Amino acid sequence: MKESARSVSVKPLIGPALIFALAVYFYHLAGKIQEVPIPGQLGPAFWPKVIFVLLMISCGIKTLEIITAQRRQHTGMEAAAPAQATDYVKLAAMIVSIVGVVYAIDILGFLIANFLFLIIFMMIAGWHKKISLLVISTLGTLSLLFLFVKVVYLPLPKGQWFFYDLTIYLYRLLHVI
């Protein structure tokens, strides 16, 4: 049975719909975080709620992309591109790096662990220009640092051993504390 030009296959929409539903559920849970009203601060529920709203928006955008691509394919506007082969070694390395940074943040501190994570992750993804890696990792880490510490008032892990002292030194250098 042929699908009409206006029909949309539901199977590719399952992933974004499931993630959207989970984001709605977790947004609801974030609303139950007991807040202690501190004048001039956003509160502990703000950041999780923002993340889940952005996740819901990104799911909506992805759904629109899928529907638009399917309609173009059905109307002949776009030739069906062959699916790219998944590089499972890269995928596994990316997953390991994400899990690894969770453990590294406690030991190295957020500042150092995030900087190294961004470099490693981008290299795994195929980016090998050294200057770009350093600039993007530095600016990304500093942006997140200032967002979490100065805007959201979230204390970040500072690390253990000499990493703690190094993080405190860098915080003072950057006028974070």
Side-chain angles (χ1 to χ4, degrees), residues 50-124:
V50 167
I51 292 297
F52 293 126
V53 166
L54 292 174
L55 184 58
M56 287 183 258
I57 291 169
S58 67
C59 287
I61 292 169
K62 186 63 179 174
T63 299
L64 290 175
E65 286 177 359
I66 292 170
I67 291 170
T68 303
Q70 286 182 1
R71 287 187 178 160
R72 283 185 186 157
Q73 187 176 1
H74 287 299
T75 59
M77 291 175 61
E78 185 178 282
Q84 293 182 355
T86 303
D87 187 348
Y88 291 105
V89 173
K90 271 188 178 181
L91 179 61
M94 288 176 171
I95 292 169
V96 166
S97 69
I98 291 169
V99 172
V101 76
V102 172
Y103 294 105
I105 283 177
D106 189 42
I107 297 167
L108 303 175
F110 174 83
L111 197 62
I112 298 166
N114 189 69
F115 175 77
L116 294 174
F117 166 74
L118 289 175
I119 288 176
I120 292 167
F121 195 86
M122 287 189 299
M123 288 177 70
I124 293 169

Side-chain angles (χ1 to χ4, degrees), residues 24-33:
V24 169
Y25 173 71
F26 287 125
Y27 180 88
H28 174 70
L29 286 181
K32 293 182 178 183
I33 294 174

Side-chain angles (χ1 to χ4, degrees), residues 136-174:
I136 292 169
S137 297
T138 301
L139 292 177
T141 299
L142 291 176
S143 297
L144 289 173
L145 176 71
F146 282 103
L147 174 70
F148 288 138
V149 175
K150 292 291 190 178
V151 176
V152 184
Y153 304 106
L154 183 69
L156 297 172
K158 293 175 183 62
Q160 300 173 6
W161 306 309
F162 67 90
F163 295 113
Y164 179 85
D165 296 330
L166 179 59
T167 298
I168 295 298
Y169 172 75
L170 292 171
Y171 275 25
R172 286 183 179 146
L173 190 67
L174 297 167

